[in-house]
Amino acid sequence: MTAWNDSAGGKRALTVLLSRPFLTVAIVAAVWIVASFVSRGFGAYGHLRYLVELGAVIGLVAAGQTFVVIAGGIDLSVAAIVTVSAVSLPLLSWQVDPTGITAILAVLVLTTAIGLVNGLGVALLRVHPMIMTLAMATFLQGLLIIIAGGSAVTAENPLVHWLGNGRPAGIPAGVLLWVVVSAIVLTTMHATSLGARIFAMGANPLAAALSGVPVTSTTLAVYGISGLCSGLAGVLVLGMNGQGYVGIGDPYLLASIAAVVLGGTSILGGLGTYAGTIPGAILLVTITALITVVNASPGWRSILFGSLILGLLLLSGREQARR
């Protein structure tokens, strides 16, 4: 009996060690160690803390993207929603209470509503997620150009400033926000009925519907969560940059998808975890930092990201086929 338990425990440990989330964490650690030898100062605590702080923005956007992808969809409007949040918040902050809380809540309600509209289009109008969210992104970009034009808007919100620059106990406030959101996301994904419905719908939508899963409300939930998470990311980006402008969220579309797939979530849906997306976000930021260190052009960064996403998509498809 003991031998059997030892064997079973060994198999479980091996499964964990070979899982994509653990491998992603191992890759992050290895890259940090190698980069610390290659570039002086790369492994300094302050620099690594800064990388994690940048990773928090991608991680927040990718949190909602993880829900959507596991449910069998994709959200191409996340970058535009980040921009909506970062641009509209300074405009609202002039009109509401000086603490900034009301303005932030109003913006998060707005971005969640945008996500719900995406969900309505996918669930009720049967528009393909890629088409629906791309159309929403295009609409929002046009609207933002009309409202903000080409000018940047400065944040005059004390709470936003604290989120972007605060260091309670030496830890960036944005990282603390990411920790809280991560705990909520992981709990929702793996310990609630909503999480179970999302996995079931992503694995087989027809079977899930026949089994009594409320597909419409679940679809609305995942896109609403995506809008909320992108809105939070926009608030954090605004705090870190001090101002919002049209296009500020553009870098986070491909990065959010790459972080999700890099963390082991199948792009075909029904399989994955946010526990892998977290190190995936940090790895992407680390790769970007390394490209900057070696003075590579932005074009090479785009090529690297595109190749990474393509390779991960091919790997994800092969893994899904074997199952």
Side-chain angles (χ1 to χ4, degrees):
M1 184 70 176
T2 302
W4 186 88
N5 286 334
D6 290 341
S7 176
K11 290 180 179 179
R12 285 195 295 270
L14 182 61
T15 300
V16 172
L17 291 174
L18 294 178
S19 65
R20 186 82 69 82
F22 185 86
L23 290 176
T24 306
V25 171
I27 293 173
V28 170
V31 171
W32 278 10
I33 292 172
V34 172
S36 298
F37 287 103
V38 173
S39 174
R40 177 180 296 181
F42 191 95
Y45 171 73
H47 184 252
L48 296 182
R49 181 182 64 183
Y50 177 66
L51 292 181
V52 175
E53 188 174 8
L54 294 178
V57 181
I58 297 176
L60 288 174
V61 181
Q65 192 77 265
T66 303
F67 275 106
V68 174
V69 172
I70 290 177
I74 194 166
D75 191 348
L76 300 182
S77 67
V78 292
I81 295 177
V82 170
T83 303
V84 166
S85 177
V87 171
S88 61
L89 182 52
L91 301 178
L92 289 175
S93 296
W94 289 97
Q95 309 296 328
V96 293
D97 70 287
T99 64
I101 298 177
T102 304
I104 292 176
L105 291 177
V107 165
L108 295 181
V109 169
L110 172 62
T111 59
T112 302
I114 294 172
L116 290 174
V117 172
N118 282 331
L120 286 172
V122 173
L124 297 183
L125 302 180
R126 307 299 182 188
V127 181
H128 191 281
M130 184 176 294
I131 303 301
M132 181 65 208
T133 56
L134 181 60
M136 177 61 74
T138 305
F139 171 81
L140 292 176
Q141 288 171 352
L143 185 63
L144 286 168
I145 291 173
I146 293 174
I147 294 175
S151 60
V153 285
T154 303
E156 299 290 345
N157 187 311
L159 182 54
V160 171
H161 178 77
W162 180 82
L163 284 173
N165 302 280
R167 295 287 188 274
I171 303 174
V175 174
L176 293 178
L177 173 64
W178 189 23
V179 170
V180 173
V181 171
S182 297
I184 295 173
V185 168
L186 288 170
T187 301
T188 303
M189 190 172 291
H190 300 291
T192 67
S193 58
L194 174 61
R197 294 198 299 269
I198 292 172
F199 278 99
M201 190 174 73
N204 191 323
L206 180 58
L210 294 176
S211 300
V213 173
V215 174
T216 299
S217 61
T218 303
T219 301
L220 288 174
V222 296
Y223 283 97
I225 291 172
S226 183
L228 174 61
C229 291
S230 295
L232 279 173
V235 172
L236 184 54
V237 168
L238 177 63
M240 294 170 65
N241 286 274
Q243 59 182 12
Y245 52 87
V246 176
I248 194 173
D250 291 352
Y252 303 108
L253 173 56
L254 285 179
S256 70
I257 298 173
V260 169
V261 181
L262 184 61
T265 296
S266 171
I267 198 68
L268 301 178
L271 180 68
T273 175
Y274 186 63
T277 303
I278 295 171
I282 297 175
L283 179 57
L284 289 174
V285 173
T286 303
I287 292 173
T288 302
L290 284 175
I291 292 175
T292 303
V293 167
V294 299
N295 293 322
S297 67
W300 282 110
R301 180 173 61 186
S302 297
I303 290 173
L304 180 60
F305 275 6
S307 300
L308 181 62
I309 293 173
L310 180 59
L312 291 171
L313 290 176
L314 293 174
L315 177 61
S316 178
R318 289 175 62 87
E319 290 176 348
Q320 193 80 358
R322 284 199 296 268
R323 288 181 173 84

